[in-house]
Amino acid sequence: MDSILMALVEADGTAAQPHVQSLCADAGNHGARPLAALADAAHYLCLLHGRFPGVVDHAATRSTDNAARKWLLQVCEAFADERATLTRVSVALGPVPSTSGQNNCDSAVLQQRHALEMLSQSDRRGCAMGAALTLVLDWVGVRHLLDRAAIRAGIEPSKCALPSVEDTLSVARAIAIDEASARAIQFGARQLLNQHRGLWALMQARASIRTTEG
């Protein structure tokens, strides 16, 4: 199970997205366009993951796996700090850049957030945990971008207290006790990555629109 989750994140996760790679590479550029793209990303990440309760909080109320209890407690506490970091970086980067179709973009990300809420409240054993585990694994890529954005905004990146990749994968192995739970974990993982991939595709489209509009 752990190798499957890592393969999914490496293939489809945030760090693998071309737009995120471009944002990280251009973060040190002091032009207006890279700053606008970073502000856009931070704002929509806040819209997707900045509200309590989130994916990991819902998963904590759904999970009955003793093997995941300590991990979930650590994740819930640490992700509260990550939400604060998201807000701090977003504010420091400035307002959302004006882009055609703004209302449609907001609606699309709100729909993504609703989809994640439904996923993380699923009664199917393993589904919510699959989403939570994958969020923590994929957050490594998200955090790398946020740290670059923080530096660009002139603030010191804060330390991330989320569990390590190794600890997270250990929990995935422990709770995948049968084929049904393994399938549910993979389903939750794929669905979360689908939403993240959709977010970055939207951010790339918005950046392209701003470039066209000049």
Side-chain angles (χ1 to χ4, degrees), residues 164-185:
S164 68
V165 169
E166 292 76 15
D167 287 347
T168 301
L169 293 176
S170 177
V171 171
R173 287 193 299 271
I175 67 173
I177 57 176
D178 52 36
E179 186 176 344
S181 59
R183 285 199 304 269
I185 290 168

Side-chain angles (χ1 to χ4, degrees), residues 71-89:
W71 181 88
L72 280 166
L73 288 172
Q74 182 182 352
V75 171
C76 289
E77 183 175 346
F79 212 84
D81 293 337
E82 293 305 296
R83 282 191 289 267
T85 294
L86 263 177
T87 301
R88 187 165 63 102
V89 172

Side-chain angles (χ1 to χ4, degrees), residues 1-212:
M1 173 51 62
D2 53 338
S3 60
I4 293 174
L5 288 184
M6 279 309 303
L8 290 172
V9 171
E10 288 170 359
D12 294 328
T14 292
Q17 303 307 309
H19 185 60
V20 174
Q21 293 170 355
S22 176
L23 287 174
C24 290
D26 293 342
N29 187 325
H30 288 279
R33 190 165 292 167
L35 180 61
L38 288 170
D40 219 28
H43 169 77
Y44 281 102
L45 277 169
C46 273
L47 198 57
L48 188 62
H49 288 300
R51 190 174 73 174
F52 175 85
V55 170
V56 295
D57 308 292
H58 287 306
T61 67
R62 288 294 188 274
S63 176
T64 58
D65 292 291
N66 289 330
R69 188 167 300 169
K70 182 179 178 181
W71 181 88
L72 280 166
L73 288 172
Q74 182 182 352
V75 171
C76 289
E77 183 175 346
F79 212 84
D81 293 337
E82 293 305 296
R83 282 191 289 267
T85 294
L86 263 177
T87 301
R88 187 165 63 102
V89 172
S90 183
V91 170
L93 288 169
V96 183
S98 176
T99 310
S100 297
Q102 182 75 37
N103 290 337
N104 290 336
C105 293
D106 289 356
S107 296
V109 178
L110 287 172
Q111 289 173 7
Q112 288 183 314
R113 186 172 74 187
H114 178 69
L116 288 179
E117 288 174 347
M118 294 298 97
L119 180 67
S120 58
Q121 295 180 76
S122 171
D123 290 328
R124 181 183 176 189
R125 182 175 182 179
C127 185
M129 277 301 299
L133 289 161
T134 306
L135 176 59
V136 172
L137 293 173
D138 197 43
W139 203 257
V140 175
V142 174
R143 198 40 145 80
H144 179 65
L145 173 60
L146 286 177
D147 288 349
R148 297 299 300 272
I151 293 169
R152 174 65 177 82
I155 59 179
E156 183 72 20
S158 59
K159 183 178 179 181
C160 181
L162 285 169
S164 68
V165 169
E166 292 76 15
D167 287 347
T168 301
L169 293 176
S170 177
V171 171
R173 287 193 299 271
I175 67 173
I177 57 176
D178 52 36
E179 186 176 344
S181 59
R183 285 199 304 269
I185 290 168
Q186 288 183 52
F187 177 80
R190 292 179 189 276
Q191 291 303 308
L192 181 127
L193 291 174
N194 283 344
Q195 299 304 327
H196 279 191
R197 190 166 60 249
L199 175 72
W200 297 121
L202 179 62
M203 295 299 95
Q204 187 168 29
R206 284 172 58 80
S208 296
I209 289 170
R210 291 193 298 272
T211 299
T212 301

